[in-house]
């Protein structure tokens, strides 16, 4: 059967002369994606002069991400993020990306992650010890707390640096950077960075803050470990040489990879945990089940890596949370050549939009898709579901390098919190998703502190 022409693809109604669907996606991106999902599995849209396809077809998604990834690159909408993280793993392409990925991959090997479990547990215990000093009923922002603890875990695990003291400064910098990156995507006619507008000046100051942090980490490591004997991501990057055995990474390359790991290594996990807490607060019967599992598996001791496989409900709860609120809620690939995907011709230059936000809520793949139901991830209920109907970490060669790290961290944090804290939203709290670079909760996740255990647990382990 011949491939169907691009021009015969279903088109999303609406759109303006010259601007196409751009005003609609700026005004209500979730509504735009939902309207596209209702129209057809593969829909043609237009943004100013740019051709684009929105796909909810697992076969097309698999083709683009896994079967023919060399035919597609990250779209031009990643240009704003590239101004922040440069040529890090998130934004680089081609042979350079392959080299950097190969260098970083060993730091996320399963054997390495076993040793990181104790770092995760220790940082979480420090957070809980601080919480134990709070009065019952104290208001707090769960998102802010998750950002702080995941930042500390990322720093200690990947770079041997305790970033807890810089958490507020880094959070403030991200509060400037992420809206700016999102604005570049939504408003392509913004003034270039070299023009000293108020927003551009704020961005440069925020980037300078992160640069100072990164270069300090590198300099401290050079002084403390000149032979690169440490067994973490930073040492692997600093010890790397090119294929001919020549010079290693420049300071700029190190900066790009470290900044990418710092941002990606805590921002998405913090968001996922904040949404998880909100969902458990809204569904206290499931929260009680999580509490019982955490107490039964962990008892009163510090978790070890062997406990993680037993936290089956915690695993399903995190998976269901990322189904409803995927941290990477939309991403794109641009066709480098003319291609055929799932029976459709895709002209060179076409942007293929993949939206977990709507893919994860499609009634084609999920029963009662709007309902929070962690047990939908039980094996017997997952049978027959297309693999590419669920993409919390992307897929293919560019699947998130920290996928296993993030799942370990999320389950461990959730179990340790649930053993001591009952998730309860502030009365009247209305938590709304903010479609920024990642899916944050607009204004945070306001909670009330409620204890479930009267006494702290005792560390009875000797190794992770």
């Amino acid at each position: 059967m011949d491939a169907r022409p691009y021009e015969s693809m279903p088109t999303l109604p609406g759109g303006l002369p010259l601007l196409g669907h751009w005003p609609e996606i700026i005004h209500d991106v979730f509504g735009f994606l939902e309207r596209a999902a209702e129209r057809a599995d593969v829909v043609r849209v237009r943004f100013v002069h740019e051709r684009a396809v929105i796909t909810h077809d697992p076969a097309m998604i698999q083709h683009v991400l896994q079967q023919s990834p060399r035919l597609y690159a990250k779209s031009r909408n990643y240009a704003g993020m590239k101004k922040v993280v440069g040529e890090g793993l998130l934004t680089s392409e081609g042979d350079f990306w392959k080299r950097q990925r190969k260098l970083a991959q060993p730091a996320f090997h399963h054997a390495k992650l076993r040793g990181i479990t104790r770092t995760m547990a220790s940082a979480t215990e420090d957070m809980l010890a601080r919480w134990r000093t709070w009065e019952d009923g104290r208001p707090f922002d769960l998102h802010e707390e998750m950002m702080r603890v995941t930042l500390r875990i990322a720093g200690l695990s990947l770079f041997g640096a305790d970033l807890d003291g810089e958490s507020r400064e880094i959070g403030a910098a991200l509060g400037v950077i992420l809206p700016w990156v999102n604005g570049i995507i939504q408003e392509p006619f913004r003034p270039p960075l070299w023009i000293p507008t108020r927003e551009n000046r704020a961005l440069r100051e925020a980037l300078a803050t992160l640069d100072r942090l990164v270069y300090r980490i590198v300099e401290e490591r050079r002084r403390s470990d000149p032979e690169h004997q440490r067994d973490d991501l930073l040492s692997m990057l600093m010890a790397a040489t090119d294929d001919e055995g020549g010079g290693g990474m420049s300071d700029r390359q190190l900066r790009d990879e470290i900044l990418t790991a710092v941002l990606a290594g805590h921002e998405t996990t913090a968001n996922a945990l904040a949404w998880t807490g909100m969902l458990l607060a809204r569904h206290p019967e499931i929260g009680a089940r999580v509490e019982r599992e955490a107490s039964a598996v962990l008892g009163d001791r510090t978790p070890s890596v062997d406990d993680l496989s037993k936290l089956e409900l915690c695993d399903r709860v995190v998976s269901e949370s990322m189904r409803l609120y995927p941290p990477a809620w939309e991403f794109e690939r641009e066709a480098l050549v003319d291609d055929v995907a799932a029976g459709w011709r895709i002209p060179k230059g076409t942007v293929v939009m993949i939206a977990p936000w709507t893919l994860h809520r499609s009634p084609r793949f999920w029963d009662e898709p709007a309902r929070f139901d962690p047990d939908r991830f039980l094996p017997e209920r997952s049978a027959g579901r297309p693999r590419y109907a669920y993409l919390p970490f992307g897929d293919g060669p560019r699947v998130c390098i920290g996928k296993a790290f993030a799942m370990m961290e999320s389950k461990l944090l959730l179990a340790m919190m649930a053993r001591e804290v009952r998730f309860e939203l502030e009365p009247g709290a209305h938590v709304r998703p903010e479609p920024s670079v990642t899916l944050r909760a607009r204004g945070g996740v306001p909670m009330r502190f409620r204890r479930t255990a009267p006494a702290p647990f005792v560390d009875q382990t000797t190794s992770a």
Side-chain angles (χ1 to χ4, degrees):
M1 180 178 176
D2 292 336
R4 291 165 288 181
Y6 174 81
E7 290 72 20
S8 67
M9 189 179 293
T11 302
L12 189 67
L16 298 175
L18 300 179
L19 296 178
H21 296 91
W22 179 51
E24 186 175 350
I25 202 171
I26 298 302
H27 175 69
D28 179 12
V29 64
F30 290 146
F32 173 78
L33 293 173
E34 288 158 7
R35 200 161 68 88
E38 291 170 359
R39 174 74 172 91
D41 285 343
V42 181
V43 177
R44 181 163 53 107
V45 295
R46 180 175 58 84
F47 305 114
V48 190
H49 59 277
E50 189 175 74
R51 291 178 300 196
V53 169
I54 304 174
T55 179
H56 296 90
D57 180 357
M60 180 176 284
I61 295 170
Q62 181 177 15
H63 174 87
V64 172
L65 297 182
Q66 196 269 333
Q67 293 174 338
S68 302
R70 291 178 296 177
L71 305 184
Y72 294 83
K74 294 208 167 186
S75 79
R76 285 162 281 184
N77 282 338
Y78 288 82
M81 182 56 71
K82 185 169 285 194
K83 292 181 184 297
V84 175
V85 298
E87 293 293 336
L89 279 176
L90 181 64
T91 54
S92 57
E93 298 281 359
D95 291 340
F96 181 80
W97 170 82
K98 290 179 183 178
R99 175 181 181 270
Q100 300 296 91
R101 176 88 178 202
K102 184 177 179 180
L103 291 172
Q105 190 70 58
F108 297 92
H109 190 274
H110 182 72
K112 294 278 180 23
L113 296 180
R114 290 183 65 90
I116 290 174
T117 308
R118 189 166 183 83
T119 300
M120 293 178 175
S122 177
T124 305
E125 167 58 15
D126 288 346
M127 177 189 73
L128 292 172
R130 180 165 49 81
W131 288 11
R132 292 183 200 117
T133 66
W134 294 354
E135 293 184 358
D136 197 60
R138 168 178 169 156
F140 73 104
D141 181 0
L142 181 63
H143 180 261
E144 181 180 329
E145 290 292 319
M146 294 301 95
M147 289 286 284
R148 179 174 176 179
V149 71
T150 57
L151 176 65
R152 189 171 184 221
I153 289 171
L156 290 169
S157 302
L158 302 177
F159 314 116
D162 191 339
L163 304 178
D164 192 48
E166 288 91 355
S167 61
R168 289 188 179 277
E169 194 175 12
I170 293 171
L174 291 179
V176 172
I177 290 169
L178 296 181
W180 185 89
V181 171
N182 203 53
I184 288 293
I185 297 171
Q186 294 185 339
E187 303 172 30
F189 306 114
R190 277 188 167 196
L193 188 55
W194 57 266
I195 295 179
T197 65
R198 183 172 61 181
E199 284 188 331
N200 286 348
R201 289 197 304 271
L203 177 73
R204 287 198 294 269
E205 291 173 4
L207 289 176
T209 295
L210 297 184
D211 284 350
R212 285 194 299 272
L213 168 69
V214 169
Y215 290 127
R216 176 176 65 79
I217 290 173
V218 172
E219 186 56 35
E220 288 177 355
R221 178 59 63 87
R222 282 183 174 140
R223 290 199 303 266
S224 64
D225 185 23
E227 301 301 321
H228 311 307
Q229 297 299 307
R230 296 278 291 275
D231 192 22
D232 60 13
L233 177 62
L234 180 56
S235 284
M236 291 176 187
L237 295 175
M238 293 181 71
T241 59
D242 60 30
D243 294 338
E244 289 74 35
M249 289 190 189
S250 67
D251 281 358
R252 179 67 189 191
Q253 286 175 298
L254 282 171
R255 176 262 186 205
D256 292 350
E257 296 300 352
I258 292 170
L259 196 52
T260 296
V262 167
L263 297 183
H266 89 287
E267 165 82 16
T268 52
T269 304
N271 289 342
L273 284 166
W275 289 118
T276 300
M278 182 207 72
L279 287 165
L280 292 177
R282 290 179 174 175
H283 299 84
E285 71 287 355
I286 299 176
R289 288 174 58 196
V290 172
E291 179 186 339
R292 289 194 295 270
E293 179 184 78
S295 297
V297 172
L298 304 182
D300 60 354
R301 57 180 173 77
T302 301
S304 74
V305 69
D306 295 324
D307 293 316
L308 293 172
S309 63
K310 303 171 188 174
L311 295 170
E312 297 176 356
L313 177 58
C314 286
D315 187 282
R316 298 198 301 274
V317 165
V318 172
S319 296
E320 175 72 343
S321 173
M322 290 192 295
R323 181 186 72 84
L324 287 169
Y325 296 97
W329 58 277
E330 188 268 346
F331 53 94
E332 302 165 357
R333 297 292 184 267
E334 184 173 332
L336 300 175
V337 297
D338 291 340
D339 188 30
V340 175
W344 289 102
R345 295 193 181 278
I346 305 295
K348 177 182 177 180
T350 300
V351 172
V352 178
M353 301 174 63
I354 300 168
W357 174 262
T358 36
L359 182 70
H360 292 182
R361 295 164 180 256
S362 171
R364 276 191 58 197
F365 314 119
W366 311 94
D367 295 331
E368 297 182 87
R371 186 161 69 95
F372 178 58
D373 179 13
D375 289 340
R376 72 172 76 243
F377 284 92
L378 286 166
E380 60 269 25
R381 291 182 58 186
S382 299
R385 184 183 302 138
R387 170 181 166 183
Y388 287 84
Y390 183 62
L391 297 168
F393 297 100
D395 209 285
R398 297 201 72 139
V399 66
C400 174
I401 195 172
K403 175 181 177 179
F405 183 105
M407 284 304 297
M408 285 177 57
E409 181 181 18
S410 298
K411 288 195 294 183
L412 185 146
L413 266 159
L414 175 59
M416 290 183 69
M417 287 191 293
R419 187 172 54 177
E420 297 194 41
V421 178
R422 179 170 294 116
F423 295 103
E424 180 182 307
L425 284 170
E426 275 271 26
H430 182 54
V431 184
R432 294 181 298 164
E434 182 175 20
S436 185
V437 177
T438 58
L439 192 66
R440 284 188 163 197
R442 181 171 297 165
V445 180
M447 305 284 281
R448 283 281 177 92
F449 177 67
R450 299 295 184 193
R451 291 180 175 84
T452 60
F457 61 90
V458 179
D459 184 353
Q460 298 177 349
T461 64
T462 57
S463 61

